[in-house]
Amino acid sequence: MRRRCTWNIFQSIEYAGEQDQIKLYNFFGFLMDHFTPASSERNLISHIFRENEICHDADWERYFCYKDIEVPESYSGPHLTFPMTFCGLSKLMEAFKLKQQLHARYVLQILGETWRLLRILPNINHISVCHTKEITICGDLHGQLEDLLLIFYKNGLPSCEKPYIFNGDFVDRGKNSLEILLILFGFLLVYPNDVHLNRGNHEDHIVNLRYGFTKEVLGKYRVHGKKILKLLQKIFSWLPLATVINHKVLVVHGGISVSTDLDMVARMDRHRYVSVLRPPKMIRHTLNGNRTVISKNEDATGPAEARRRVRSLTNTSTLAQRHNVPRRSLHNLPTTGNQMNCSVEEELKKRRRLAGFDQTYRETKTLDSDSDPEFGEPTETHGHEWKQIVDLLWSDPMPQNGCIPNEVRGGGCYWGSDVTEEVLRRHNLQLLIRSHECKQDGYEFCHNRRVLTIFSASNYYEMGSNRGAYIRMGPDLVPHFIQYQASSTSRELTLRQSIGWTERSALRALRQQLFVHKSDLIGAFQEFDPNNTGVISLRHWATATERVLQLGLPWRVLRPQLVSRAQHGMVDYQQWIRELSITEPKPEVSDTSIMETMYKNHSNLETIFRIIDTDHSGLISFEEFRQTWKLLSSHLKMEIGDKAIMDLAQSMDFNKDGSIDINEFMEAFRLVDLSTHA
């Protein structure tokens, strides 16, 4: 029970963050769809939707030319020659083991060569295994270089005799995402027929803004980081979407849905979808011959209602719904909620007033798509293709039959064993191998052993939280598992110590969530305390806590770990809030509500900062700082005064030069759990 609760805490908080990411991006999409191109808030974010600023291959070649970048004599890292060789790869891995950094010239060379190779690969790689050549399949690595090197140590390096499939999510969260990419791309260049890379949902430049990869690249390559990121956007869009082994085993990062059509996947132009989070526009021809821009999911409620999606990328929820339905949790699978009527014009007026913008706005656009050139020329086919890719990269299996929107993550679907049977039968397959979900043992079967999840990042949530694993498969197509833990510390822990360590870490993360919602919690508790006694029952405490955090956790089971004092089934909630053991910074800010907003939306705020920091300098001006907060307040439907924002900006301008360092700002407002220092 302890282990299961700990796991639920970690996963619920992780998936809640993914929901927030997609909600924020959907809000940006709402601005792009409905605000005029000249509006200030649209200008702030429009660049992240311009997915093909340089269209021709020759232009890309010139833009990413590395030849004018000199390698100084003082450089002590590995020197690479091209075409890449196994010897060069060995030097590269040895340098990364020693924490050396590869020169930007070589990074751009590897990325450029990788882009040229990926462009000739199919959307679905078809490969064969035989008695003399087993294949190794790895799941998510998430920037954990130690795991990749351990896999190579235990299993052997990729080669003609030892082929590999790496099933996406190479980047984000860990500290060595770029090193992992460079190693995998290097092996792809040396053994293009024996190393296969599938795209994951984190191979997406919008997701990277939130989960660390963008920050990692800019921190390691301050001069050429912007070029590196731009080329990686292009490379991610060209990564294959799936691999099929011996015509019988499908390997894909996320999963499938009831509408999965591998023939359509094989035909599409995958590189059009630079960010999978952005649904394409479509063209509808009206009776009079005019063209109207609509959303992929338009239904009887009209294009405006359909476009204002929230909880799932391919679901038709509205923006107004977000504040009237609970956040979906992993342990409380979603059901269809009631639609709320809210016109686009009313929504826009309210949001613009809250955000303090005064430029003109317009209703749903019905102009030709050429009026918005950064999106190219969409067709109805693109909408169906987009849903196929979202389902492949974002979906998760569920125990129940059926197929429903994945409102826990916010993208893809949940599919049941009946869908597995149908899709496998339709394509004459016998097994689906996917990744995308951390598993305690590194792997897990479901759906009558027709679906297998493999996850290769050990200690993903915390030291000892999970093993990593990889698969070896021969011509009999029977998977064999090898498990490991990359950290020597975690390997030395007993089972009891490991459970205790991860439990403390999970509770620490949960206390932080409780702390940042303390005002909302007090309000919810007071609803059960009409006489202001300061005391409520444990049942009411659990009900109110779930209502506020919406994590789907067994609060009454967790109560002994979270509430130290409870007499006769009653909780002193005022005292409990004071005892959460969290400390916070104390800047001189006139409006304390802005501080709570800061804690609750720490990741969203950093995402907007990095979007607005178009030159990737790591610095933003006071005005950009103000615009960031105005965008966030509009997204959250709340008012934040200019004075409070400027007070905060001035308190963070340490050297008084009128600009704010993003990293320093985010670190200054990171909460610290005092219980870890007890």
Side-chain angles (χ1 to χ4, degrees), residues 199 237 269-276 280 382 385-386 389:
R199 186 177 184 177
S237 72
D269 293 326
R270 65 182 184 272
H271 66 281
R272 291 179 181 271
Y273 305 93
V274 178
S275 175
V276 178
H382 296 162
E385 291 179 352
W386 170 74
I389 295 180

Side-chain angles (χ1 to χ4, degrees), residues 127-188:
I127 61 177
S128 299
V129 294
C130 59
H131 291 286
T132 59
K133 186 191 289 189
E134 289 187 330
I135 193 160
T136 302
I137 305 164
C138 300
D140 299 33
L141 289 166
H142 279 302
Q144 297 185 190
L145 180 60
E146 196 176 2
D147 285 299
L148 178 62
L149 296 178
L150 182 58
I151 292 171
F152 288 164
Y153 173 79
K154 292 172 71 71
N155 193 62
L157 295 172
S159 68
C160 296
E161 293 74 35
K162 196 174 290 293
Y164 273 79
I165 298 172
F166 295 94
N167 198 26
D169 277 12
F170 319 120
V171 303
D172 279 334
R173 295 195 168 98
K175 296 180 180 180
N176 298 109
S177 296
L178 186 57
E179 287 81 358
I180 285 178
L181 283 181
L182 294 173
I183 291 172
L184 296 184
F185 291 164
F187 276 112
L188 177 67

